[in-house]
């Protein structure tokens, strides 16, 4: 762990607090982590034990909400360590070309607010076409997700719409 730049992880006392507060672990359970240690601590530890090539999905599953670090009794900066794995995975070329291509498009669109708004407006309308009872059970492009679980339908109003109303005092 010292060699991998994960020395803070040596403070871990395996209390499990980070797991119990992790939104990903709470949705998925422990088996999907595929190693001895699940949750945020597992997402940091398993690449050390099994190699990043085999377990690069674990650091990428994190939402970076920071709750794990907040509750860790020995103040391990778990999100920072996970970001370190992501960074390394990128630099070592372990990301599939489809991910690199998708991120390139996202970077291009996210830097152009008008294009971003147009893209999200179209995506929301398309997703609504596939929504039934507040969930999407199948849709082109969501196959890997909807094969095992439902995908939440888009909310009736977007965050930006609500934000604009709030700014107007409504
Ligand atoms: S909360 Fe901190 S000490 Fe407890 S298991 Fe997670 S990383 Fe280890």
């Amino acid at each position: 762990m010292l060699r991998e730049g994960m020395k803070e992880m040596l403070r871990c006392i395996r209390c499990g607090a980070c797991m119990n507060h992790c939104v990903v672990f709470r949705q998925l359970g422990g088996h999907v982590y595929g190693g001895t240690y699940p949750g945020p601590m597992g997402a940091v530890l398993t690449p050390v034990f099994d190699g990043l090539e085999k377990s690069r999905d674990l650091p990428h599953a994190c939402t970076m909400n920071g709750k794990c670090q907040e509750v860790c009794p020995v103040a391990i900066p778990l999100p920072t360590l996970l970001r370190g794995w992501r960074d390394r995975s990128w630099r070592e070329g372990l990301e599939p070309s489809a991910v690199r291509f998708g991120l390139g498009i996202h970077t291009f669109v996210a830097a152009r607010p008008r294009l971003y708004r147009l893209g999200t407006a179209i995506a929301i309308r398309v997703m609504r076409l596939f929504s039934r009872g507040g969930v999407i059970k199948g849709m082109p492009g969501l196959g890997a997700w909807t094969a095992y679980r439902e995908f939440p339908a888009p909310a009736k109003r977007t965050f930006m719409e609500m934000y604009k109303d709030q700014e107007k005092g409504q």
Side-chain angles (χ1 to χ4, degrees), residues 27-98:
Q27 290 297 316
L28 301 180
H31 292 294
V32 293
Y33 286 83
T36 308
Y37 301 108
M41 63 162 170
V44 173
L45 287 169
T46 305
V48 177
F49 300 141
D50 294 353
L52 186 58
E53 206 159 321
K54 270 195 203 156
S55 49
R56 55 161 288 282
D57 284 346
L58 296 178
H60 285 81
C62 176
T63 64
M64 294 286 156
N65 65 59
K67 198 72 189 166
C68 52
Q69 180 172 345
E70 222 175 273
V71 298
C72 177
V74 288
I76 297 174
L78 291 153
T80 306
L81 298 179
L82 290 168
R83 206 175 295 115
W85 278 133
R86 287 184 184 184
D87 179 45
R88 195 166 137 185
S89 174
W90 184 269
R91 281 188 285 108
E92 291 182 5
L94 301 179
E95 303 303 319
S97 47

Side-chain angles (χ1 to χ4, degrees), residues 8 14 18 20 24 30 34 37 43 46-47 71 74 90 92 97 103 114 116 129 136 140 143 151-152 161 166 168:
E8 291 95 337
R14 313 292 197 261
C18 56
N20 294 328
V24 178
Y37 301 108
T46 305
V71 298
V74 288
W90 184 269
E92 291 182 5
S97 47
L103 282 173
R114 279 190 191 168
Y116 185 84
L129 294 176
I136 298 172
F151 193 87
E161 286 167 350
Q166 196 167 331
K168 286 183 212 153

Side-chain angles (χ1 to χ4, degrees), residues 12-32:
C12 179
I13 54 172
R14 313 292 197 261
C15 69
C18 56
M19 284 169 12
N20 294 328
H21 289 80
C22 173
V23 291
V24 178
F25 176 83
R26 280 163 53 188
Q27 290 297 316
L28 301 180
H31 292 294
V32 293

